[in-house]
Amino acid sequence: MNIDLTAMPATIDLLHVSLGIIALVFFILFLTKGGSKASAPMETQTELPATLAKTEPAAESQPISQLKTANPDAALQLLTLLQQEARFIDFAQEDLLDYSDADIGAAARVVHEGSKKVLKDYFMLAVMRDEQEESRITLPEGFDATTVRLTGNVIGQAPFTGTLVHRGWKVTEVKLPKLAEGHDAHIIAPAEVEL
Amino acid sequence: MSSEDIKNTIRYGVGIDLGTTHCVLSYVELYSDQDPAPIHVLPIPQLTTPGSVEEKNQLPSFMYQAHEAELAESDIALPWDGKPETIIGTIARELGSKTPIRLVSSAKSWLCHGGIDRHASFLPLNSPEEVPKVSPIEATFQYLMHLRNAWDFRFPDTPLVNQEVTITVPASFDPAARDLTAEAAHRVGFKNLILLEEPQAAVYSWLESNSDSWRNQVSIGDIILVVDIGGGTTDLSLVAVTEDAGNLSLNRVAVGDHILLGGDNMDLALAYQINGKLAQEGKNLAPWQILAITQSCRDAKEILLTDPEIHSVPIVIPSRGSKLLGATLRTELSKEEVMASLVDGFFPQVGIHDHPAQQARSALKQMGLPYAQDAAICRHLAAFLCRQQAAANDFLGENQGDFIKPTAILFNGGVLKAPVLAERMMRVINHWLSEAGVDQAKLLAGTDLDLAVAKGAAYYGAVRQGKGVRIRGGIASAYYVGIESAMPAIPGMTPPIQALCVAPFGMEEGSAAKGPNQEFGLVVGEPVRFRFFGSTTRRDDEAGTLLDYWEPEELEELPEIQANLPAEGRKPGEIVPVQLASRVTEVGTLCLEAIPFDGSAKWQVEFDVRAS
């Protein structure tokens, strides 16, 4: 029997479906891991479209609905950074009732300055819509529902015309520091003892 | 080509800005298809807090000598080393801000401090005995090693030691400091190493970023003044534009003194001003609070100096404990305060004859860095321009008047990013020029003031391959050894000293100089010390010139140098007649050698006299 490895499958059999699913899983793994590895080698990037093309038919024939649990390390790391730069935990844990607005204002400057620095240093932010807020915009047919949320009198078919209430935010790049193996991310701020 | 061949070929020109407070590494591909080849800055992975590694363009030049109970082993792992022995970079600076007794800083300034044995391990200075100490050379070596590891991690196929590496040093570094920098670099293993003066690197960066237009921006007869104000030092240089076979040619004709005065002094000045203000309100600050203010002042200063709309910036010092509300100190820094203390304090509008008070030489003997006593950068600049009145005479003809008149200014260093300070500096210089009845100087723009030195140094690698104009210069000082004259003893009078020129001004890399047969007797097996002098103004003395008399400001006494003749094959105590010869190595360091008349051997004269 001759096996032609370059031939496209004429029918989608079980073998190809399972191969497709494995490829899709690896692709998702690559995407989730990809963010932390900014300097991914070029070869991986050029291979990407090929993997994508192969997985498409499989994905259509058998949609996967999976809820993923976020890795707590990244969340803990963000808390660490916010505490370090902005005293975020300290601030949120305070009871504001006992203090004057002047006191709160002074502390808010610390929190604001630090948070801004964290956002600037570790995230690249962009707005979802460039239009002015409170202006009327029209969403064409086939708009991306993940980037725009419709509210209020939602009836009928696209195109939709409505008021832009919030421009939305999108993170275009995440560059969190790398964590050392064995580093306990749960310790957001170690206790400090001056000798 | 085998992988071994690839590893051994020179592929990149690498520039390392080994700064007092930060190191930057940039690189350019030497045989690129693109013209001009783009210059990149290497993001340097470094620990920022225990256990977390970040890539930053700048590596803070700090080293932290941690206590064994302070950090877990897993918290200091680097991508290339699970158990590094040294803690360098942002984390060192951060940990050291709270535990200064364990922080090694300003190693570069110590390298240029002649009053101490720079091979001795004494940093962190004045810290308790149990804190492990390192020498300034060791610290420099560790910073370079970190850069090497970061590079090799990123480019495993082209190890850094095999590339064309240019390390920048202040133009005002004396021969000993250059030697010591080269020594640290050689220990790292660089095979193709060159030292380049920082202001020259800034000029190269300007040439590179104006590759099409620079020939239109300067013309024959121009004198470019480079003012480089970094975090810790101020460095000055003059470059004359001449013609060579129909092409524009650049000549570095003068460099300034080593002035320990920079942006850090400005932040401190503001912090103490705030401290005084709070003290008047009855609030006394702890040392850690002053440190926190210094940091806030740095940010506030940048805002106030760049944004003309903002008139005051709040300075907030959060508490150290977890209670943030009520315990946070708040004050303000106003534009007027910044203008008064920075603009008028560091950049006062002084006359060209208003110079800083001469620093007493005894300062060299103190244990501590010889910081500039006069904070007014403009006075230092005025003194430099007056002293170098005749610097460009050989190239551009006799200069009339009391000072050399720059026609173009190139700024470098983070401080001058603030438009207010750059404008003030320009105004002061132009005021001097208009008083002297000449045209205003123009500002040469188009460089990144923070990264220009590293970028220019990387570009210099390409220039050495023949791609672009090279700045000529050679050594920026003539060097002399002191000889006690043979004269009858007169009670109460030290015998007058004569100065013998051993290395003339402008000696270029790879050249050597030997004067007429001036004989010295060296004792075998015993170190013999010489007094050593440098002059940045005596341009015409040749090797062998003997000076009986000089103006006090003409010759500056440098730390003593030492010749040590090993006793091999000779009787200890025997006196061997030798002659001193000098040469400038390809690396760019000065080398003095004692050669016996029988020509049997030669011995290197040490610039850095070690404590015996």
Side-chain angles (χ1 to χ4, degrees):
Chain A
M1 180 177 146
N2 268 337
I3 299 172
D4 186 0
L5 288 171
T6 57
M8 282 296 287
T11 54
I12 298 180
D13 56 20
L14 191 66
L15 177 71
H16 283 102
V17 170
S18 49
L19 275 175
I21 292 171
I22 291 170
L24 182 68
V25 169
F26 275 115
F27 179 52
I28 290 170
L29 275 178
F30 170 77
L31 281 189
T32 49
K33 290 260 174 188
S36 63
K37 225 174 148 187
S39 56
M42 285 305 283
E43 298 86 63
T44 335
Q45 278 173 13
T46 49
E47 268 172 29
L48 240 174
T51 329
L52 198 68
K54 272 184 217 156
T55 57
E56 264 168 5
E60 270 169 34
S61 60
Q62 201 171 329
I64 296 170
S65 164
Q66 244 180 11
L67 292 178
K68 51 179 182 183
T69 314
N71 181 357
D73 277 4
L76 292 169
Q77 199 183 0
L78 183 59
L79 279 184
T80 309
L81 292 169
L82 285 171
Q83 166 64 15
Q84 223 170 62
E85 302 288 347
R87 308 285 299 271
F88 179 74
I89 313 278
D90 291 342
F91 184 68
Q93 294 292 93
E94 292 262 26
D95 185 358
L96 296 193
L97 287 178
D98 304 339
Y99 295 99
S100 69
D101 281 2
D103 279 343
I104 298 172
R109 287 192 184 278
V110 177
V111 180
H112 176 259
E113 253 169 50
S115 311
K116 193 171 172 176
K117 184 166 182 288
V118 169
L119 287 184
K120 182 174 149 272
D121 287 358
Y122 305 106
F123 300 94
M124 199 82 95
L125 285 171
V127 291
M128 299 297 322
R129 308 288 311 193
D130 293 323
E131 296 93 342
Q132 283 283 320
E133 284 180 3
E134 297 303 320
S135 68
R136 303 283 286 174
I137 64 166
T138 301
L139 301 168
E141 211 172 316
F143 73 94
D144 185 354
T146 56
T147 66
V148 181
R149 175 150 310 141
L150 301 178
T151 59
N153 195 20
V154 186
I155 46 165
Q157 300 294 318
F160 295 113
T161 299
T163 308
L164 179 65
V165 179
H166 193 288
R167 305 166 84 174
W169 290 111
K170 177 169 65 174
V171 173
T172 55
E173 201 187 331
V174 183
K175 18 178 198 182
L176 284 172
K178 294 188 183 70
L179 288 180
E181 198 85 22
H183 173 75
D184 186 355
H186 290 82
I187 298 163
I188 290 169
E192 210 174 298
V193 181
E194 192 178 49
L195 303 184
Chain B
M1 215 190 305
S2 78
S3 65
E4 203 46 38
D5 288 340
I6 295 173
K7 283 199 171 189
N8 288 328
T9 39
I10 301 175
R11 184 164 165 203
Y12 296 101
V14 176
I16 297 178
D17 174 4
L18 195 58
T20 318
T21 50
H22 285 101
C23 299
V24 179
L25 186 151
S26 39
Y27 59 98
V28 60
E29 232 177 301
L30 290 176
Y31 309 101
S32 164
D33 300 333
Q34 284 168 277
D35 188 39
I39 297 181
H40 307 278
V41 174
L42 180 78
I44 306 163
Q46 55 193 286
L47 286 158
T48 46
T49 52
S52 113
V53 174
E54 257 181 80
E55 291 186 342
K56 289 175 177 280
N57 285 346
Q58 297 184 320
L59 176 75
S61 316
F62 294 89
M63 187 167 154
Y64 188 75
Q65 306 287 77
H67 187 272
E68 72 255 22
E70 219 177 324
L71 296 163
E73 203 173 77
S74 61
D75 278 349
I76 56 167
L78 287 165
W80 52 82
D81 188 351
K83 288 183 201 165
E85 283 174 8
T86 51
I87 298 170
I88 285 168
T90 307
I91 188 177
R93 193 184 57 196
E94 297 304 315
L95 292 173
S97 69
K98 290 180 177 171
T99 311
I101 55 164
R102 292 183 174 271
L103 183 68
V104 176
S105 61
S106 299
K108 184 181 182 178
S109 303
W110 285 106
L111 274 188
C112 191
H113 187 341
I116 42 136
D117 177 0
R118 289 161 278 194
H119 282 87
S121 302
F122 61 87
L123 294 173
L125 190 68
N126 300 333
S127 64
E129 225 167 81
E130 69 159 75
V131 176
K133 308 283 194 303
V134 295
S135 68
I137 300 177
E138 174 69 21
T140 308
F141 164 76
Q142 293 294 352
Y143 303 149
L144 289 171
M145 230 15 223
H146 188 103
L147 294 175
R148 178 188 159 177
N149 288 329
W151 173 279
D152 291 354
F153 183 71
R154 171 89 178 257
F155 302 109
D157 293 335
T158 48
L160 186 61
V161 293
N162 293 342
Q163 310 308 314
E164 181 94 42
V165 175
T166 305
I167 295 180
T168 60
V169 291
S172 49
F173 251 21
D174 67 13
R178 277 168 205 255
D179 240 15
L180 298 168
T181 309
E183 184 185 324
H186 282 304
R187 263 181 68 199
V188 175
F190 297 123
K191 289 178 191 149
N192 315 292
L193 173 75
I194 296 282
L195 300 182
L196 177 67
E197 292 170 5
E198 282 158 14
Q200 279 195 49
V203 175
Y204 279 117
S205 177
W206 175 74
L207 291 173
E208 191 270 337
S209 53
N210 294 274
S211 53
D212 302 325
S213 66
W214 75 267
R215 287 181 177 81
N216 304 326
Q217 296 187 46
V218 293
S219 47
I220 297 162
D222 268 335
I223 297 171
I224 305 171
L225 166 68
V226 188
V227 181
D228 180 357
I229 308 177
T233 52
T234 294
D235 214 4
L236 305 167
S237 284
L238 288 168
V239 176
V241 183
T242 58
E243 189 185 13
D244 185 24
N247 291 318
L248 286 186
S249 146
L250 299 171
N251 309 273
R252 198 269 289 104
V253 292
V255 304
D257 286 340
H258 200 62
I259 310 167
L260 286 186
L261 180 62
D264 293 352
N265 303 61
M266 299 178 191
D267 302 333
L268 266 181
L270 289 177
Y272 278 94
Q273 194 170 344
I274 297 263
N275 186 20
K277 206 157 75 172
L278 285 169
Q280 278 182 357
E281 296 168 20
K283 294 173 190 155
N284 286 315
L285 299 188
W288 67 267
Q289 287 175 310
I290 296 182
L291 208 77
I293 298 186
T294 314
Q295 181 58 47
S296 318
C297 283
R298 183 171 305 148
D299 302 338
K301 172 190 84 181
E302 271 154 33
I303 297 170
L304 286 169
L305 289 178
T306 34
D307 194 336
E309 301 289 307
I310 296 174
H311 294 288
S312 99
V313 172
I315 301 279
V316 177
I317 314 155
S319 66
R320 284 202 291 184
S322 68
K323 272 197 68 61
L324 196 57
L325 291 171
T328 297
L329 269 181
R330 184 191 182 283
T331 180
E332 276 189 7
L333 186 66
S334 71
K335 180 157 252 164
E336 289 71 45
E337 288 168 321
V338 172
M339 294 300 271
S341 72
L342 296 196
V343 183
D344 296 333
F346 288 85
F347 300 89
Q349 277 181 320
V350 297
I352 188 74
H353 295 294
D354 193 353
H355 299 172
Q358 279 292 316
Q359 224 172 320
R361 295 302 313 169
S362 66
L364 261 187
K365 298 292 172 203
Q366 285 165 5
M367 194 63 173
L369 289 171
Y371 292 108
Q373 284 165 358
D374 194 329
I377 289 172
C378 295
R379 283 200 196 101
H380 290 278
L381 178 60
F384 170 67
L385 294 178
C386 286
R387 190 173 341 111
Q388 296 297 343
Q389 189 270 344
N393 283 5
D394 289 352
F395 294 94
L396 307 174
E398 187 87 12
N399 174 32
Q400 303 297 324
D402 299 336
F403 70 103
I404 190 160
K405 296 164 199 77
T407 54
I409 315 287
L410 180 67
F411 284 148
N412 190 48
V415 169
L416 291 163
K417 277 199 301 192
V420 179
L421 299 183
E423 277 159 26
R424 170 57 78 90
M425 188 95 246
M426 277 309 278
R427 186 154 6 114
V428 172
I429 296 169
N430 279 329
H431 179 71
W432 294 336
L433 294 173
S434 62
E435 291 250 293
V438 297
D439 289 342
Q440 308 248 302
K442 58 177 170 282
L443 184 65
L444 303 179
T447 55
D448 179 330
L449 271 56
D450 277 328
L451 304 176
V453 166
K455 286 186 167 179
Y459 174 67
Y460 183 59
V463 169
R464 283 168 43 79
Q465 307 279 334
K467 295 180 187 170
V469 179
R470 198 163 164 175
I471 304 168
R472 291 184 307 196
I475 56 174
S477 183
Y479 293 101
Y480 306 81
V481 291
I483 301 169
E484 277 172 25
S485 341
M487 66 173 279
I490 304 169
M493 192 183 156
T494 46
I497 190 157
Q498 291 176 304
L500 173 75
C501 180
V502 286
F505 191 97
M507 259 175 95
E508 298 210 340
E509 283 115 63
S511 68
K514 199 156 94 175
N517 295 349
Q518 185 75 37
E519 201 177 299
F520 292 87
L522 290 192
V523 187
V524 171
E526 264 177 44
V528 179
R529 293 190 178 190
F530 297 96
R531 286 174 72 179
F532 194 49
F533 300 86
S535 171
T536 55
T537 51
R538 295 190 67 100
R539 291 178 161 70
D540 302 325
D541 292 340
E542 287 168 22
T545 306
L546 193 63
L547 305 180
D548 294 316
Y549 173 77
W550 55 88
E551 297 290 338
E553 66 274 8
E554 272 187 312
L555 255 61
E556 184 194 6
E557 181 154 14
L558 301 169
E560 286 186 326
I561 56 172
Q562 173 175 296
N564 203 351
L565 265 55
E568 298 154 15
R570 291 189 166 82
K571 280 201 294 279
E574 185 188 343
I575 292 177
V576 181
V578 297
Q579 187 185 6
L580 287 183
S582 64
R583 66 189 165 87
V584 179
T585 63
E586 292 296 335
V587 173
T589 55
L590 181 70
C591 181
L592 268 190
E593 283 160 337
I595 304 170
F597 275 77
D598 59 13
S600 57
K602 52 183 164 189
W603 298 284
Q604 192 158 337
V605 180
E606 302 288 337
F607 291 115
D608 179 41
V609 178
R610 301 175 198 201
S612 43

